[in-house]
Amino acid sequence: QQTVAGKGKERQAAIALVESLDLQGTLLSADALHTQTHWAELVLDRGGEYLLIAKGNQSELRDAIALVFSQPPRPRLFPEGEAHTVDKAHGRLEVRHLRVSSELSAYLAPRWPQVAQVFQVERTITRHGKTTVEIAYGLTSLTAQEASPSQLLAFVRQHWHIENRSHWRRDVTLGEDACLV
């Protein structure tokens, strides 16, 4: 753990934490706040691998990944892998579909060190007869030999598991984000 000096200082605290760690054999996942070139370089320098989520703060990256997956799979033109999971629990049905490709690696390499794969995860959630679809994009330094599509989907799911279990409780249930003290 690392002490955070205050709101807006999370990135600096995370960098200080990573700088103090030996990440040999470790996959470090991070949400969009940490999807920064410096973060990726630091994780690699410490011996680890990264899995990062691309959102609006990296709109060019997000748009490039979205473009790769904007069309149905075309295996002869753009080889890619796929994985699916279906879970039914807590009154909802969740279907996850991951598409992964290494075709964008050369294009992203000048900015994103050792990027090996990009991915799209589509989550279709049905609860009380209402269906929602969420799409997330990301990149990883793990090669296709190091992480199959199924493994990559499991890593992404583990990332969100931490986000939902820890941060939701602290931010929403305990009201940390609403506290003005």
Side-chain angles (χ1 to χ4, degrees), residues 114-131:
Q114 296 181 34
V115 61
Q117 300 183 87
V118 295
F119 59 86
Q120 170 189 283
V121 177
E122 182 176 296
R123 293 183 291 267
T124 305
I125 303 163
T126 304
R127 182 182 305 148
H128 305 300
K130 183 178 178 185
T131 300

Side-chain angles (χ1 to χ4, degrees), residues 41-164:
E41 290 169 345
L42 183 59
V43 169
L44 294 167
D45 289 346
R46 305 297 303 151
E49 302 290 344
Y50 64 81
L51 183 145
L52 301 170
I53 304 300
K55 288 188 177 177
N57 65 325
Q58 291 287 346
S59 59
E60 188 176 312
L61 171 65
R62 185 197 172 285
D63 292 348
I65 297 171
L67 183 61
V68 168
F69 299 112
S70 65
Q71 299 294 316
R74 294 171 288 177
R76 282 189 230 145
L77 221 82
F78 297 109
E80 64 180 60
E82 293 184 89
H84 301 273
T85 61
V86 178
D87 295 297
K88 188 174 183 179
H90 310 290
R92 66 180 177 249
L93 175 68
E94 294 185 36
V95 178
R96 289 175 197 82
H97 178 216
L98 175 128
R99 291 174 63 190
V100 60
S101 173
S102 59
E103 292 300 310
L104 206 55
S105 299
Y107 173 76
L108 295 175
R111 173 117 194 265
W112 295 97
Q114 296 181 34
V115 61
Q117 300 183 87
V118 295
F119 59 86
Q120 170 189 283
V121 177
E122 182 176 296
R123 293 183 291 267
T124 305
I125 303 163
T126 304
R127 182 182 305 148
H128 305 300
K130 183 178 178 185
T131 300
T132 60
V133 177
E134 302 169 350
I135 297 177
Y137 301 97
L139 68 159
T140 184
S141 59
L142 292 171
T143 65
Q145 293 74 31
E146 294 169 317
S148 69
S150 295
Q151 290 169 314
L152 197 54
L153 183 55
F155 293 147
V156 171
R157 183 147 189 226
Q158 289 168 353
H159 167 82
W160 290 114
H161 180 78
I162 293 167
E163 185 76 19
N164 292 336

Side-chain angles (χ1 to χ4, degrees), residues 7 171 174-181:
K7 195 81 169 154
D171 296 345
L174 299 176
E176 281 187 0
D177 284 351
C179 182
L180 299 177
V181 177

